[in-house]
Structures are given as structure tokens and as C-alpha cells.
């Protein structure tokens, strides 16, 4: 039977999907000499105890993993002093956030978040058919929580806070969060994305204390960063049981593989080693930021495993080119600046050598 369709006929994507910007991942290292500082990965090798359980699970990958990540959820719950019913797991915190958006947002509902923040936020919101409502950061790189509260309307179903914020590294303080949560209607879910919280030092805030007092607060975390499981993809949310159940219902069946689940359990059992590693990153962060400031750079107080250089597009390109010439990969953001991941002392010194004199870089 001869087709009557035009030769170029093909299924069409939704207009919202066709117009989406592609998620831009940090560039991967081209060789062993390349310093890959674009993706906020852990520079530490996997913990031996974690490698052991991954190896054991490799012999069982012909079997499906636990549908609800039962053992991993139990270990996470014990770690935080909550119940397993309050935990929902997914393929990285981005996967869990997608479950959250699917669970609470319908077509045309609004999602408020700071900008610039994590690049996936507007993409995930738009894919779900919801409306992204970005609120510019303050000049201090802090979330403008007053403006975010003012942006909440009758259509708002979700607010996303990122602390420490990616890519600026700046954290939200306890007093500011308290004031914000008091101003948010109880039917609006507030997601506190703490992907980098293990690197935070100083006063900070205890998000679990806020969670116990505010039923509409959901905490989002990941094993990709401090725990070094970026290649396995497992993250989780802590939420009231009714909300967490909704997140589990919107999850892809068997979305968290068995190696990731076992690695998460083993990682939580290695807290002393994880804390030693994050201490080392925090110490390097203090040293590197202080050195950059002495060299004339304006660097905000990062609480993550990276630091931020606010820059015009011209300056951004100069910084990225200079780093690239030294075989160093960093992450540039059009219209905003450059994010550089912290690594070992030697690698960090390579970056400092490139950025040793701010006056070398024109900014017109």
C-alpha cells in the first residue's frame, strides 16, 4: 500500500519540549593530565568498603533491584532519625525532584526558584507542563527570599530553595529560612535542595529541625557529591509520609539500580571517612578562596565543593580560555560567570597559578 503522507512527515514533539534548552553537563577530562573541575564531582576515589558491595552486587545484576529501595530507605531514615515512610529515593536528586514536580504540579501550575541556580530546575518544570518562575539572586549571590515570597501566587504549587546554591555556593541562613517559611502558604510545598550540605561548615542551619516544624517542607539530598556516587545515581527526599508516598508513586519502576542502593547503605556506614573527606575539601576551600581574594577576585563565601566567579561574558570567556590553556576544565554560564570545582591541593594550585593576577583579565 502506497503512503499518502509527505516524505518529511514525522511525529512532532510538544512545543514546550522542542523549545527546551539542552542540559549542559560539565566537560569530561580529555586525558589523565586534564583537571576536570566542571561537574562538582568528588576527586576522591570510591571508598573501598563501597567498592566491595558494588562488586558483590555486580554478580546479581540479572535480578531486579528492590522496587522501593527498601533497605536504602531504611538506612537513610535511621541516619536522619525519621521513618522509612518519610523517605523517597530516586536516580539522583534530579530524579527525585522530577518525581516531586510530577507529584504536585499540574499543567500551568507555577514553580518558584532562585536564578541563577541549578540548571535543571527550569527544564524539569517545563517538561512537566508547569510554569517556571525564576527570581533573580541578590547582588550578594544570596536567594532573594522576600522577592521569592512575593512571587508566590494562587497558581504556585512548589518553591525550590538551593542551599548551598549551585553555582554560587552561598547558603541560606536559619533566620532567613524561618522568616520565609512563615510567609509561605501551607499548601505550597517548599523543597530545600541540599545536594552540597555535607560540605557546609560554620553555623548554617539544621534543616531537619525546620522539617519537623513545617509540614510543607521537603528536604532533597544526594549521594552524588560528598559520597562520591555520581556514576551510580541515587538521591532521596525527606517529606511527610503522604508526600513521600506520592513521590514513590511517580517514580520510574526499578529506577534506582541494586548497586546504587547497596552503595548508599555502605556509604552511610562510613561516616567518619566521609567527614574526613569533606573536612579536607572545606580546608582547601578556605585556602583557595583566601588566595583568590588576595589576587583581586571577588569570591563569595562558598559552602560547597566549588567556588564562584561572577563575570561578564567577555571575562567569562577569558577565564575559561586561560584555564583551558592550562588543561583545566571549568564550567561557564552565559551572562553570569564561572564555577570551579575544588580538587586536591596540587590541582587547586594549578588553578591559582592561572588566576594569580586579576589585572591580567580585562573586563569591559
Amino acid at each position: 500500500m502506497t503512503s499518502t503522507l509527505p516524505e518529511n512527515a514525522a511525529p512532532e514533539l510538544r512545543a514546550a519540549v522542542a523549545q527546551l534548552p539542552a542540559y549542559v553537563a560539565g566537560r569530561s577530562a580529555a586525558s589523565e593530565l586534564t583537571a576536570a573541575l566542571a561537574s562538582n564531582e568528588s576527586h576522591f576515589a570510591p571508598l573501598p568498603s563501597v567498592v566491595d558491595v558494588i562488586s558483590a552486587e555486580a554478580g546479581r545484576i540479572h535480578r531486579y533491584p528492590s522496587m522501593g529501595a527498601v533497605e536504602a530507605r531504611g538506612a537513610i531514615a535511621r541516619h536522619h532519625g525519621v521513618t522509612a515512610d518519610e523517605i523517597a529515593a530516586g536516580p539522583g536528586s534530579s530524579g527525585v525532584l522530577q518525581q516531586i514536580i510530577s507529584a504536585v504540579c499540574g499543567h500551568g501550575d507555577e514553580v518558584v526558584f532562585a536564578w541563577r541556580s541549578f540548571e535543571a530546575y527550569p527544564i524539569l518544570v517545563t517538561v512537566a507542563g508547569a510554569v517556571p518562575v525564576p527570581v533573580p539572586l541578590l547582588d550578594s549571590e544570596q536567594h532573594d527570599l522576600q522577592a521569592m515570597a512575593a512571587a508566590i501566587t494562587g497558581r504556585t504549587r512548589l518553591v525550590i530553595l538551593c542551599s548551598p546554591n549551585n553555582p554560587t555556593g552561598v547558603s541560606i541562613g536559619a533566620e532567613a529560612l524561618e522568616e520565609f517559611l512563615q510567609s509561605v502558604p501551607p499548601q505550597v510545598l517548599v523543597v530545600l535542595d541540599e545536594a552540597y550540605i555535607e560540605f557546609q561548615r560554620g553555623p548554617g542551619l539544621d534543616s531537619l529541625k525546620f522539617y519537623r516544624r513545617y509540614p510543607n517542607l521537603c528536604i532533597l539530598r544526594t549521594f552524588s557529591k560528598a559520597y562520591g556516587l555520581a556514576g551510580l545515581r541515587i538521591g532521596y527526599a525527606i517529606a511527610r509520609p503522604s508526600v513521600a508516598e506520592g513521590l514513590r508513586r511517580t517514580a520510574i519502576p526499578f529506577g534506582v539500580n541494586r548497586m546504587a542502593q547497596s552503595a548508599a547503605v555502605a556509604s552511610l556506614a562510613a561516616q567518619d571517612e566521609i567527614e574526613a573527606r569533606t573536612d579536607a575539601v572545606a580546608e582547601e576551600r578556605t585556602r583557595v578562596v583566601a588566595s583568590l581574594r588576595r589576587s583581586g577576585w571577588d569570591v563569595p563565601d562558598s559552602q560547597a565543593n566549588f567556588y564562584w566567579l561572577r563575570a561578564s561574558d567577555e571575562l567569562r570567556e577569558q577565564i575559561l580560555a586561560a584555564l583551558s590553556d592550562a588543561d583545566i576544565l571549568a564550567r561557564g554560564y552565559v551572562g553570569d560567570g564561572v564555577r570551579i570545582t575544588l580538587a586536591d591541593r596540587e590541582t587547586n594550585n594549578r588553578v591559582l597559578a592561572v588566576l594569580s593576577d586579576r589585572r591580567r583579565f580585562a573586563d569591559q
Side-chain angles (χ1 to χ4, degrees):
M1 182 176 178
T2 304
S3 173
T4 58
L5 293 175
E7 290 185 6
N8 60 350
E12 293 185 0
L13 297 174
R14 287 168 45 210
V17 174
Q19 296 167 9
L20 278 176
Y23 178 83
V24 180
R27 291 167 57 200
S28 299
S31 72
E32 292 184 0
L33 299 177
T34 302
L37 308 183
S39 296
N40 295 341
E41 298 158 321
S42 173
H43 65 282
F44 293 104
L47 293 172
S49 58
V50 174
V51 172
D52 287 344
V53 300
I54 293 173
S55 298
E57 287 299 333
R60 292 189 281 268
I61 59 173
H62 60 301
R63 303 295 187 187
Y64 282 110
S66 166
M67 176 74 168
V70 175
E71 185 181 359
R73 283 174 45 222
I76 293 165
R78 291 189 294 274
H79 180 71
H80 292 294
V82 298
T83 67
D85 288 342
E86 296 170 273
I87 304 296
S93 56
S94 297
V96 180
L97 181 58
Q98 188 171 39
Q99 294 164 216
I100 293 170
I101 296 170
S102 297
V104 304
C105 293
H107 182 77
D109 288 338
E110 295 176 351
V111 180
V112 176
F113 52 86
W115 197 253
R116 177 171 288 273
S117 194
F118 182 36
E119 188 173 359
Y121 294 161
I123 296 174
L124 295 176
V125 171
T126 303
V127 167
V131 179
V133 182
V135 177
L137 296 169
L138 294 168
D139 290 342
S140 63
E141 308 290 2
Q142 295 272 359
H143 281 51
D144 189 343
L145 293 176
Q146 290 186 348
M148 293 182 73
I152 295 174
T153 71
R155 297 289 300 177
T156 305
R157 296 298 307 278
L158 179 65
V159 176
I160 307 172
L161 307 177
C162 188
S163 181
N165 185 46
N166 177 16
T168 64
V170 177
S171 292
I172 298 171
E175 184 176 343
L177 181 61
E178 180 79 55
E179 183 178 346
F180 177 76
L181 290 174
Q182 289 181 354
S183 69
V184 176
Q187 70 272 18
V188 174
L189 183 67
V190 177
V191 172
L192 182 59
D193 184 348
E194 295 189 312
Y196 299 93
I197 194 63
E198 290 85 3
F199 300 104
Q200 182 162 294
R201 297 296 182 270
L205 60 85
D206 185 341
S207 56
L208 282 166
K209 287 185 177 179
F210 283 92
Y211 166 73
R212 293 184 178 100
R213 292 172 48 226
Y214 290 94
N216 62 331
L217 180 63
C218 169
I219 299 170
L220 184 62
R221 295 198 178 179
T222 185
F223 285 93
S224 294
K225 307 304 181 182
Y227 290 94
L229 303 184
L232 288 180
R233 313 303 300 132
I234 178 168
Y236 60 95
I238 305 173
R240 290 300 189 273
S242 59
V243 175
E245 172 61 22
L247 307 190
R248 293 192 291 272
R249 290 182 181 183
T250 57
I252 298 172
F254 307 108
V256 182
N257 70 66
R258 63 185 311 130
M259 289 185 287
Q261 292 184 33
S262 294
V265 174
S267 295
L268 290 173
Q271 282 303 301
D272 288 347
E273 293 170 281
I274 297 299
E275 187 171 343
R277 291 182 170 193
T278 57
D279 281 345
V281 171
E283 290 173 8
E284 272 297 279
R285 181 177 65 209
T286 299
R287 183 184 74 89
V288 169
V289 169
S291 179
L292 288 169
R293 287 172 176 170
R294 287 194 299 269
S295 297
W297 296 95
D298 183 12
V299 188
D301 290 325
S302 174
Q303 288 294 317
N305 68 332
F306 56 84
Y307 50 95
W308 174 248
L309 303 177
R310 175 68 64 176
S312 66
D313 285 341
E314 179 185 10
L315 178 58
R316 169 179 54 82
E317 287 304 306
Q318 291 183 52
I319 294 170
L320 292 176
L323 291 171
S324 181
D325 288 344
D327 210 7
I328 300 168
L329 303 180
R331 181 67 184 275
Y333 295 84
V334 175
D336 288 301
V338 177
R339 186 194 70 195
I340 305 174
T341 306
L342 291 154
D344 59 276
R345 188 181 183 92
E346 180 181 355
T347 303
N348 294 333
N349 284 342
R350 289 172 59 187
V351 178
L352 292 176
V354 174
L355 303 178
S356 61
D357 186 355
R358 172 67 176 83
R359 294 170 297 181
R360 290 177 48 214
F361 299 85
D363 188 13
Q364 301 178 6

